[in-house]
Amino acid sequence: MSDRASLRGPMRAHRGELASITALADAVFMQGRSGAMGDLFPRLFHERNLENLFVFAEAGRVVSHVGMVQRGARIAGCELYVACMGAVATYEEFRGRGLASQLVQAALDKARADGVDLMLISGDRTLYRRIGAFPVGRDFRCVADADILDRLRDPRMRVRKALAADLPACAAAYDAKPVRFVRPMEEWADRLNSQAAAEGWHHLLIVEENNSFRGYVAVNRGHDWGYGEVAEFGGAVETIAGALRAVCAASGESSLKITLQSHDEILRTLLTQAGAVFAPVSVDGAWVIVSFTRLMERLRPWIEARAGIDAVHSLACSEDGESCTLSVIGKTVTLSRTEAVQMIFGTIEGVPAPPTFCDIFPAPTIAYGIGYI
Ligand SMILES: CC(C)(COP(=O)(O)OP(=O)(O)OC[C@H]1O[C@@H](n2cnc3c(N)ncnc32)[C@H](O)[C@@H]1OP(=O)(O)O)[C@@H](O)C(=O)NCCC(=O)NCCS
């Protein structure tokens, strides 16, 4: 084992280190399949994103890494700036020495300095809980087999592979969602151009009626999953419901794992009536508030929609280290950072908001969809 003196970090990655970072990520997450992580996460492992990749290196070799991508997001009319953190990895022989902990903190500090409100972390472990992250939200998940999907089947809906010319229509359908990321067109192109798409692990399927675009469904498959996972869909829900049987067949699977958010209520009802059984699930991973005061400012349109303009005018908030204080119409609550993220976005156990704030929270969570980091 190397001594601490020969390790450099925590530091931002520099130009020559990208290959060493992806080699680490491939070794830890992909059984060493060279290029696999770079293919799956092209925006994370990108020269343009080096300032958001944090590393420890020894003798020119990256031995521990934490990466993030910063992006806009929309939650019911609120414009947020979020960071998605992922590919957190340390080579086995360097583990348990606090390297990843320091890198997570370095990424969090940069996100805060950059004006990020909220961080979405692709995983839930002590490493993240220690900075105040928690698996929030209450989505609904089912695995629907061919019989269930047959009951919803609408023979007018045709499904085919997406082409580059379909991407603007897909983007328009995605942008109509009430909760979403701000997704540049290049990320749509990534979905089509990846090796995972070429090998049939990622599908982007277009739903058509009379040769006209009605929606899209993105499906991921894994080597041993035994089902296709609907990563994202866009378009009218009845259309999507009617197309799912064909989507399932086109993706080469006999059942589909489907996760729906609270605003997907109609599709959940249709699938339930067809026999699907949903269970509540939290978001993938854990979320942490980067700046409580900034997040509350950003959520003003949501607070107004739920509690009225007087509530927004009375809003006051502050944060002091781990302690977050919120005051609305004369009622005040002081919470730890972990409690605050649970109050704002809820949990599968329910809404741990104090009674005064129950009208306002939980706010909706964002699904990663095809932009998973
Ligand atoms: C997870 C991983 C990145 C941790 O890397 P590491 O450099 O060993 O991390 P650290 O030494 O900082 O922390 C190791 C553990 O000690 C804990 N720890 C560190 N300092 C601590 C402290 N002062 N007090 C209490 N716990 C502490 C961390 O929370 C962490 O717990 P966890 O593994 O249950 O999350 C590494 O084990 C790995 O690469 N695993 C495989 C890939 C993976 O699972 N990545 C995460 C995907 S979500």
Side-chain angles (χ1 to χ4, degrees):
M1 187 186 280
S2 58
D3 60 39
R4 180 69 183 82
S6 60
L7 273 177
R8 287 171 49 244
M11 59 190 176
R12 290 185 196 181
H14 61 73
R15 226 161 226 287
E17 282 173 334
L18 201 48
S20 188
I21 293 171
T22 51
L24 165 63
D26 288 337
V28 170
F29 297 106
M30 295 287 161
Q31 288 92 39
R33 271 190 294 130
S34 181
M37 287 292 280
D39 180 60
L40 288 178
F41 306 107
R43 298 296 140 193
L44 179 68
F45 299 118
H46 198 287
E47 293 279 343
R48 280 200 324 249
N49 196 43
L50 280 172
E51 62 170 315
N52 291 318
L53 308 183
F54 291 84
V55 299
F56 272 94
E58 186 186 62
R61 178 186 180 233
V62 171
V63 299
S64 184
H65 166 263
V66 167
M68 66 177 167
V69 164
Q70 297 181 2
R71 45 170 57 147
R74 301 284 183 270
I75 293 185
C78 307
E79 296 188 9
L80 269 64
Y81 192 45
V82 303
C84 298
M85 180 188 278
V88 177
T90 303
Y91 280 119
E92 242 171 273
E93 62 271 32
F94 290 87
R95 288 181 191 166
R97 296 158 65 175
L99 302 190
S101 299
Q102 290 180 66
L103 296 177
V104 165
Q105 190 59 51
L108 188 65
D109 291 345
K110 178 174 189 284
R112 191 168 287 131
D114 288 348
V116 166
D117 313 309
L118 192 66
M119 185 176 274
L120 285 52
I121 307 177
S122 64
D124 173 32
R125 50 191 310 146
T126 322
L127 189 59
Y128 313 134
R129 295 269 181 128
R130 284 175 43 241
I131 58 164
F134 201 85
V136 293
R138 187 179 164 86
D139 295 340
F140 296 91
R141 182 168 292 161
C142 74
V143 177
D145 62 21
D147 289 341
I148 292 171
L149 301 178
D150 262 337
R151 287 181 204 117
L152 293 172
R153 184 173 165 268
D154 181 341
R156 293 170 300 176
M157 300 305 157
R158 303 267 173 229
V159 166
R160 63 165 173 81
K161 277 188 176 184
L163 305 169
D166 297 310
L167 297 183
C170 294
Y174 180 70
D175 291 349
K177 286 173 178 282
V179 185
R180 63 183 175 88
F181 290 107
V182 175
R183 181 184 294 156
M185 288 309 295
E186 61 188 12
E187 289 187 28
W188 285 99
D190 289 343
R191 178 80 193 185
L192 283 193
N193 299 333
S194 70
Q195 190 60 26
E199 292 174 4
W201 302 110
H202 281 186
H203 296 265
L204 183 60
L205 300 165
I206 301 300
V207 180
E208 288 181 329
E209 183 182 2
N210 295 329
N211 296 322
S212 296
F213 180 91
R214 289 283 180 267
Y216 72 91
V217 184
V219 181
N220 296 341
R221 301 167 62 210
H223 288 271
D224 52 4
W225 293 359
Y227 52 75
E229 178 163 18
V230 174
E232 189 179 306
F233 59 87
V237 281
E238 288 82 358
T239 301
I240 298 301
L244 284 175
R245 181 67 185 90
V247 164
C248 190
S251 65
E253 295 288 352
S254 56
S255 57
L256 289 178
K257 182 169 157 184
I258 305 170
T259 305
L260 299 177
Q261 298 187 278
S262 48
H263 61 261
D264 298 319
E265 181 70 33
I266 298 173
L267 186 51
R268 182 151 62 99
T269 302
L270 291 171
L271 278 157
T272 303
Q273 286 168 349
V277 179
F278 282 89
V281 289
S282 56
V283 295
D284 284 331
W287 289 17
V288 59
I289 295 170
V290 177
S291 165
F292 179 71
T293 48
R294 226 162 29 213
L295 178 62
M296 295 318 301
E297 287 300 319
R298 303 269 201 185
L299 288 176
R300 276 174 179 265
W302 172 259
I303 295 170
E304 182 180 348
R306 296 297 297 257
I309 195 72
D310 289 347
V312 173
H313 286 153
S314 72
L315 179 82
C317 50
S318 61
E319 62 191 307
D320 179 12
E322 281 312 293
S323 166
C324 307
T325 300
L326 174 66
S327 186
V328 179
I329 317 191
K331 303 279 189 206
T332 301
V333 64
T334 297
L335 302 166
S336 70
R337 200 165 288 272
T338 310
E339 291 167 336
V341 79
Q342 292 177 66
M343 177 185 78
I344 295 169
F345 296 106
T347 69
I348 49 172
E349 277 79 36
V351 188
T356 330
F357 298 96
C358 274
D359 286 346
I360 301 175
F361 302 118
T365 52
I366 314 163
Y368 276 116
I370 63 169
Y372 184 76
I373 295 286

